[in-house]
């Protein structure tokens, strides 16, 4: 082996006893390696460790231990002013002096909220709410809304107002439609009633100027009632003839009334009226079975009286007196007097204008075969059917006459 190779530190380790200290550290006789304890030996003023563990000036003020090596670096003071002696870089320990405040925040700063970008596209960025002002009654200030939210809120308000206006308009139109329909129905009813009244007035006026005989042909006449008084029921039926048929018998139980039974006899051979039927005779019998009252009824048309008004039939045609005269009761014309007030014998519908019925009774006394007798009559017009059909010819007109013993 070459001679120089044997002297290299890497090939031949040195004996620890051969190491020397020249005051600056280990000599060139070693390989520069140190142990664990020597790493923390006191440092001289020139920056090299002492082997004797002492200070360069004979004191141990600048020596450091294991824990002091990691102490924080003291801030620079007047000793580091320009012109001052520079201390060794490692004299203060292993601390690092530098400005890393912005890169490494402390623990409290890491808990503060930060502004983050929106999670989804189109999401609005939620601004952080400002801290409310200090105070007992302080109110939380709401952050300002973005422009598109202001526009959306304004559009919603406009739509609500428009919807409310449409609902009110529809309600008003419905109410007006209801009023129009009601008015049209009322107007139609009034017009129909007015037409019916006009037709009735025209018919009455025509009847006032026409002769009854020219309008209706006389089909029957009243039987002689005076000859029936004092007869029995069978005798009266035989005297009447004309197909006289008893259709009804009724007892009368009224105290003080001389009539104890009533018998209805239909003259079936007489021409029948579609509305009033056949002419009829009424007999009133006393306790002995004798006739003490005789009556007769027939339609005015069958007796030859046409479509006369109620007042005209009584005042001008004297229908009551003429019918009594046919029945053997000589009553002078003018004996039947109609009341001056029309409402006394007129009946109107609920509307107060539609005439429903006209009816009036008449009575008097007359001498028959030298004996005084009481007579009575009833004339009645019924407009119910005519009002329904609108045809005045459908009016039911009938007359009743009676003669008492």
């Amino acid at each position: 082996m070459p001679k120089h190779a044997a002297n290299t530190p890497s090939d031949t380790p040195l004996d620890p006893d051969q190491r020397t200290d020249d005051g600056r550290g280990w000599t060139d006789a070693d390989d520069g390696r140190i142990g664990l304890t020597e790493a923390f030996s006191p440092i001289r003023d020139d920056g090299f460790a002492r082997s004797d563990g002492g200070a360069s000036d004979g004191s141990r003020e600048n020596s450091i231990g294991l824990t002091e090596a990691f102490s924080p670096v003291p801030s620079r003071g007047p000793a580091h002013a320009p012109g001052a002696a520079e201390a060794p870089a490692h004299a203060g320990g292993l601390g690092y002096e530098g400005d890393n405040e912005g890169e490494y925040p402390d623990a409290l700063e890491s808990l503060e909220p930060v502004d983050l970008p929106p999670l989804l596209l189109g999401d609005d960025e939620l601004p952080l709410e400002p801290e409310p002002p200090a105070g007992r009654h302080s109110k939380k200030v709401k952050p300002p809304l973005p422009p598109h939210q202001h526009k959306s809120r304004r559009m919603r308000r406009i739509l609500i107002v428009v919807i409310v206006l449409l609902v009110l308009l529809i309600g008003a139109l419905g109410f007006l439609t209801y009023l129009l329909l009601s008015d049209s129905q009322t107007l139609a009813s009034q017009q129909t009633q007015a037409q019916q009244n006009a037709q009735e007035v025209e018919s009455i006026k025509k009847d006032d100027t026409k002769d009854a005989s020219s309008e209706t042909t006389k089909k029957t006449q009243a039987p002689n009632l005076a000859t029936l008084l004092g007869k029995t029921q069978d005798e009266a039926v035989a005297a009447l003839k004309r197909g006289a048929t008893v259709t009804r018998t009724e007892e009368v139980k009224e105290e003080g009334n001389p009539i104890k039974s009533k018998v209805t006899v239909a003259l079936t051979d007489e021409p029948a009226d579609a509305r009033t039927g056949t002419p009829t005779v009424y007999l009133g019998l006393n306790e002995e079975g004798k006739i003490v009252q005789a009556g007769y009824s027939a339609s005015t048309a069958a007796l030859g009286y046409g479509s006369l008004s109620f007042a005209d039939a009584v005042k001008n045609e004297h229908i009551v007196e003429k019918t009594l005269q046919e029945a053997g009761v000589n009553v002078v014309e003018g004996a039947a007097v109609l009341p001056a007030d029309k409402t006394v014998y007129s009946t109107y519908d609920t509307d107060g204008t539609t005439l429903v019925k006209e009816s009036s009774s008449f009575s008097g006394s007359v001498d028959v075969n030298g004996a005084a007798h009481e007579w009575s009559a009833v004339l009645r017009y019924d407009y119910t059917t005519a009002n329904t059909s609108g045809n005045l010819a459908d009016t039911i007109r009938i007359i009743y006459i009676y003669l008492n013993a």
Side-chain angles (χ1 to χ4, degrees):
M1 177 180 298
K3 182 178 180 179
H4 65 275
N7 296 327
T8 58
S10 61
D11 295 336
T12 303
L14 295 178
D15 188 353
D17 297 334
Q18 297 177 358
R19 297 174 185 173
T20 60
D21 186 5
D22 57 359
R24 295 179 300 171
W26 301 105
T27 62
D28 295 336
D30 58 21
D31 58 356
R33 293 176 292 180
I34 63 175
L36 178 61
T37 57
E38 286 84 355
F40 298 96
S41 298
I43 306 301
R44 297 200 305 260
D45 294 338
D46 56 359
F48 294 94
R50 291 177 56 85
S51 61
D52 57 359
S56 59
D57 55 354
S59 65
R60 302 181 60 90
E61 292 178 0
N62 293 330
S63 63
I64 61 174
L66 178 61
T67 58
E68 294 172 348
F70 298 94
S71 300
V73 177
S75 60
R76 295 183 180 183
H80 296 82
E86 292 291 331
H90 59 277
L94 299 179
Y96 171 76
E97 183 176 1
D99 185 11
N100 54 8
E101 180 180 357
E103 184 176 359
Y104 301 98
D106 58 13
L108 295 179
E109 291 177 350
S110 64
L111 297 179
E112 295 293 332
V114 296
D115 295 338
L116 297 177
L119 299 179
L120 299 176
L121 294 178
D123 290 349
D124 296 334
E125 192 171 324
L126 300 177
L128 294 177
E129 297 184 358
E131 291 293 332
R136 181 178 180 182
H137 300 286
S138 61
K139 295 183 179 179
K140 189 175 182 180
V141 180
K142 294 184 179 179
L145 295 176
H148 71 276
Q149 290 188 1
H150 279 290
K151 184 177 180 180
S152 176
R153 182 175 295 179
R154 183 170 58 254
M155 290 300 298
R156 285 197 299 268
R157 291 176 180 175
I158 293 174
L159 288 176
I160 291 174
V161 172
V162 171
I163 292 172
V164 172
L165 292 177
L166 287 177
V167 171
L168 293 177
L169 180 60
I170 292 173
L173 291 176
F175 181 73
L176 292 177
T177 303
Y178 171 78
L179 291 180
L180 290 175
L181 291 176
S182 299
D183 292 340
S184 62
Q185 292 177 355
T186 303
L187 182 60
S189 177
Q190 291 177 353
Q191 289 178 350
T192 302
Q193 188 61 45
Q195 291 177 357
Q196 292 179 356
N197 293 337
Q199 291 177 357
E200 183 178 352
V201 171
E202 290 178 0
S203 177
I204 291 174
K205 290 180 178 179
K206 291 180 181 179
D207 292 340
D208 291 341
T209 59
K210 292 181 180 179
D211 186 12
S213 61
S214 64
E215 291 296 323
T216 304
T217 303
K218 187 176 178 64
K219 299 177 181 178
T220 187
Q221 63 180 12
N224 194 328
L225 300 180
T227 60
L228 298 178
L229 295 177
K231 294 183 181 320
T232 63
Q233 174 180 328
D234 295 336
E235 293 173 348
V237 170
L240 287 172
K241 300 179 181 179
R242 306 183 186 184
T245 304
V246 176
T247 58
R248 183 179 180 183
T249 301
E250 179 184 2
E251 293 185 1
V252 178
K253 296 180 179 180
E254 295 180 4
E255 185 177 356
N257 190 350
I259 299 175
K260 301 303 179 183
S261 63
K262 291 183 178 179
V263 179
T264 301
V265 181
L267 303 179
T268 58
D269 290 344
E270 298 287 334
D273 185 87
R275 303 178 186 87
T276 60
T278 59
T280 305
V281 173
Y282 306 95
L283 303 176
L285 286 70
N286 57 14
E287 293 179 348
E288 299 175 357
K290 301 293 183 177
I291 298 175
V292 294
Q293 182 185 65
Y296 172 76
S297 67
S299 66
T300 59
L303 294 174
Y305 300 95
S307 301
L308 299 174
S309 66
F310 190 85
D312 186 53
V314 175
K315 295 178 181 180
N316 299 329
E317 295 299 326
H318 303 287
I319 187 173
V320 175
E321 295 91 335
K322 290 180 179 179
T323 305
L324 286 170
Q325 291 173 2
E326 288 182 0
V329 182
N330 296 322
V331 178
V332 297
E333 292 184 0
V337 178
L338 194 65
D341 187 3
K342 184 178 180 180
T343 59
V344 174
Y345 57 87
S346 300
T347 303
Y348 295 90
D349 202 353
T350 55
D351 58 5
T353 58
T354 303
L355 189 62
V356 176
K357 183 176 66 174
E358 288 180 299
S359 178
S360 183
S361 60
F362 311 92
S363 60
S365 61
V366 64
D367 183 89
V368 177
N369 299 325
H373 296 273
E374 299 292 329
W375 63 269
S376 61
V378 176
L379 180 64
R380 187 179 68 185
Y381 281 20
D382 192 341
Y383 301 100
T384 303
T385 305
N387 291 336
T388 303
S389 64
N391 186 2
L392 197 59
D394 291 334
T395 304
I396 299 175
R397 301 175 177 88
I398 191 170
I399 185 172
Y400 299 85
I401 58 173
Y402 295 91
L403 181 64
N404 296 330

